[in-house]
Amino acid sequence: MNLTAAEENYLKAIYHLSDGASKSVSTNDIAAEMKTKPASVSDMLRKLGEKGVINYRKYYGVNITPEGKKFALQTIRKHRLWEVFLVEKLNFAWDEVHEVAEELEHIQSPLLIQRLDAFLNYPKFDPHGDPIPDEFGDVKARPRVPISEMEIDQSGQIVAVKDSSAAFLRYMDKVGAYIGARVKILDKVEFDGSVEILVDQKKSIFMSKDVASNILAIQS
Amino acid sequence: MNLTAAEENYLKAIYHLSDGASKSVSTNDIAAEMKTKPASVSDMLRKLGEKGVINYRKYYGVNITPEGKKFALQTIRKHRLWEVFLVEKLNFAWDEVHEVAEELEHIQSPLLIQRLDAFLNYPKFDPHGDPIPDEFGDVKARPRVPISEMEIDQSGQIVAVKDSSAAFLRYMDKVGAYIGARVKILDKVEFDGSVEILVDQKKSIFMSKDVASNILAIQS
DNA sequence: AAATTAATTTAGATATAGCTAAAATAATAT
DNA sequence: ATATTATTTTAGCTATATCTAAATTAATTT
């Protein structure tokens, strides 16, 4: 069974909205996520239901099925592998890759993805720090902590951002923070929760609690 | 102005059928090339005519316009760059790349193609020996001669095949001939036009006139 | 429990890209 | 010059993926 590009996109959105579990998701939420109208969503849910990738009870939202989860994870895998390719091989900036990857992920060729994976040396995380599912849909999870929750003198590595809006990514670039950067907490201001960190053992950055809680790290 | 994937494919077919010039092309020929029905072609010709990429006079076939030629060459450029990528970076065999490149060529991102071109070191020819148009649509032409028309003791390099069917490409692989191979004509049998060639100064191959006239080389 | 509001679905559009069958036009043969 | 054949176009239908507007269902208030 094959899915159209539109179906793959809906399924991916449903997977994300259900937090990777089979939590129930509403028509309106899907419409917001997909930037389309609830009426269009209803139609698509009927189709996805018929294909067995979601359980659909009219008026009661949907749950993704195990089969659907498999499809969603494959699409996510393709998306993230292309992102790695764009950043590591074609020198795209990590805030420029999303739209192109959004197109590339729908290319239908298992062989292509297999070869791409090998070419990229089987990466486990994309440029945003998100894990890349393997061909069976298994993901290597990393426990992530917002920088705001780390203690003084603790070290770690930035692996993701919660808010990946262009504005926030530009901010990151500007102050010299990036996915993969080694960080160490220099100081925390108790009054407002703001934080001072050392990046790559040389550059010190001061940030508000809001910013610090948007940046996720693995501790080391 | 943007073209859909289907429109790009039609335009490419029309460009090929008119031999790169603005020769007139018939509805039936386009239908055969596109493996679709003449009725569908008529419909598409109307649309392409409205977009100004072809000149369309009902019942009299079509001519590609300079604007259309530009679009066709860009699509061909994308297709051939992806083929180079698949063969050189992802280790695809050169007879496996067409279908995937057929999908990849429709990804809409000028930046992507620019970067891909640089990553591949600005290749001028694809794995089949066909020239890759530059971003302005200019192509580096190579005068090609069928091996069957070369003289005894002449040397050259295989740059393309006329018939690029999977069957023929498999034959090429089997006997050890490939695009880029250095060849020298060892013998020609006058009676049936069959030819014996030396590949890469070591392997001798004997082939019928039919095969020899399918393999194109530049002489050196 | 009925009325209001919010969420969701259905009905009826549009646009793209394909199809078949019938009609129209052009080319060829008698 | 007319008839036949080949080619091409039109008309009407199918499927996908959207949309708006109207109808329906569920949830919440009073």
Side-chain angles (χ1 to χ4, degrees), chain A residues 18-42:
Chain A
S18 46
D19 292 332
S22 66
K23 206 176 104 181
S24 221
V25 177
S26 81
T27 301
N28 264 356
D29 287 354
I30 298 169
E33 175 84 11
M34 296 288 299
K35 290 175 179 134
T36 179
K37 299 294 139 90
S40 311
V41 175
S42 284

Side-chain angles (χ1 to χ4, degrees), chain A residues 4 10 36-37 39-40 47 59-60:
Chain A
T4 65
Y10 270 96
T36 179
K37 299 294 139 90
S40 311
K47 282 187 229 167
Y59 296 103
Y60 289 93

Side-chain angles (χ1 to χ4, degrees), chain A residues 8-129:
Chain A
E8 281 187 348
N9 285 334
Y10 270 96
L11 205 52
K12 213 173 38 150
I14 293 167
Y15 177 79
H16 279 131
L17 289 170
S18 46
D19 292 332
S22 66
K23 206 176 104 181
S24 221
V25 177
S26 81
T27 301
N28 264 356
D29 287 354
I30 298 169
E33 175 84 11
M34 296 288 299
K35 290 175 179 134
T36 179
K37 299 294 139 90
S40 311
V41 175
S42 284
D43 235 53
M44 183 54 87
L45 295 183
R46 189 183 42 71
K47 282 187 229 167
L48 291 176
E50 283 167 7
K51 291 203 169 187
V53 291
I54 58 170
N55 288 316
Y56 177 41
R57 265 185 61 217
K58 278 187 204 172
Y59 296 103
Y60 289 93
V62 296
N63 299 87
I64 199 163
T65 64
E67 178 78 355
K69 197 169 158 178
K70 232 178 58 193
F71 276 103
L73 283 166
Q74 281 317 301
T75 306
I76 290 167
R77 167 174 165 77
K78 290 186 277 174
H79 183 101
R80 292 183 180 165
L81 281 174
W82 281 117
E83 288 196 339
V84 172
F85 170 70
L86 293 172
V87 168
E88 293 197 352
K89 303 295 181 181
L90 300 196
N91 295 113
F92 274 71
W94 60 303
D95 57 337
E96 295 175 328
V97 295
H98 187 75
E99 281 67 31
V100 183
E102 205 63 24
E103 289 192 58
L104 286 164
E105 74 185 11
H106 300 299
I107 305 286
Q108 300 286 0
S109 169
L111 180 62
L112 173 65
I113 294 306
Q114 225 173 274
R115 296 286 173 90
L116 182 65
D117 194 23
F119 179 58
L120 299 172
N121 213 244
Y122 309 101
K124 296 284 166 287
F125 300 92
D126 77 7
H128 305 96

Side-chain angles (χ1 to χ4, degrees), chain B residues 4 6 10 36-37 39-40 47 59-60:
Chain B
T4 66
Y10 271 95
T36 179
K37 298 294 139 93
S40 310
K47 282 186 228 167
Y59 295 103
Y60 288 94

Side-chain angles (χ1 to χ4, degrees), chain B residues 150-181:
Chain B
M150 289 172 69
E151 302 300 328
I152 292 179
D153 272 358
Q154 266 211 315
S155 289
Q157 190 174 9
I158 299 180
V159 289
V161 294
K162 269 186 196 162
D163 170 1
S164 61
S165 67
F168 191 70
L169 297 179
R170 268 197 302 277
Y171 166 83
M172 291 277 290
D173 251 7
K174 194 181 150 199
V175 299
Y178 60 96
I179 297 295

